[in-house]
Amino acid sequence: MKKTLKELVCLSFNTKSLILIIILSGSLSMGAIAQDKIIDAFKQSYALERTENFKGAIESLKAVYQTDVYELNLRLGWLTYLAGQVKESVEYYSKAVSLKPYAIEPKLGLVLPLAIQGKWVEIEELYLKILQTDPNNSLVNYRLGLIYYNRGNFDKADSYLEKVVNLYPFDYDGLILLAWNKLNLQKSRESKVLFQKVLMNNPDDPSALEGLKLIK
């Protein structure tokens, strides 16, 4: 019996749909298998890291490496850093940064191998980018303040360190560094108050006591 045009079109459509479903089902199955392998590789890498077998941990992830997978690049950045592979660590972390431009964790990770190389200008740029996303990040504000303090740029360090102390008013690290920064800015009264707060946090702290002697 001859089929109508409408019936032929419906048959063709149903056949194509069936083929598409089969293809998609196969792709999803392959994707699930690949994902399981990646998860297993991560699990193995953690176990090897705990035994300080960093090379083995790296190889476990390289076996399933995909250049566009953020998590693989981030993890490999960390492991290659631990293994002393500084160049490779920079490359993996940089790739992670490019894959997630607004993420903070890959930038903080990238700081690690850059610090080994003494690339403080690049580190400063990374910290400033982080603050564009998270202006109140206390860790980054402290580290930027410390960079400027070590350069002797006390004016520039001041605003970052003040932000840290405003966020964490009884934090030892923030208080002691801001106290010394204020002293270097010849703001003795503010410095004295801060050194005294340090002593409330850590009585007999030698750094705070030294600072107070200089004020007297």
Side-chain angles (χ1 to χ4, degrees), residues 163-172 174-175 194 197-198 201:
K163 182 168 282 190
V164 173
V165 172
N166 285 333
L167 291 168
Y168 295 90
F170 201 48
D171 174 70
Y172 172 83
L175 283 170
L194 289 163
K197 287 182 182 293
V198 171
N201 180 295

Side-chain angles (χ1 to χ4, degrees), residues 47-62:
L48 291 167
E49 181 188 354
R50 283 193 292 271
T51 63
E52 298 189 1
N53 184 354
F54 305 128
K55 183 178 179 181
I58 291 166
E59 292 305 317
S60 70
L61 292 181
K62 280 187 174 181

Side-chain angles (χ1 to χ4, degrees), residues 20 37 58 65 82 91 96 132 178 212:
L20 181 60
K37 286 184 177 180
I58 291 166
Y65 180 70
L82 291 177
E91 289 173 354
Q132 289 175 6
L178 182 59
L212 287 171

Side-chain angles (χ1 to χ4, degrees), residues 145-185:
L146 182 60
I147 287 172
Y148 296 135
Y149 179 87
N150 287 332
R151 289 177 184 170
N153 194 339
F154 306 117
D155 282 318
K156 203 166 185 179
D158 208 52
S159 61
Y160 294 101
L161 296 175
E162 280 194 345
K163 182 168 282 190
V164 173
V165 172
N166 285 333
L167 291 168
Y168 295 90
F170 201 48
D171 174 70
Y172 172 83
D173 291 328
L175 283 170
I176 192 66
L177 188 56
L178 182 59
W180 279 106
N181 197 69
K182 293 291 186 185
L183 188 58
N184 279 287
L185 288 171

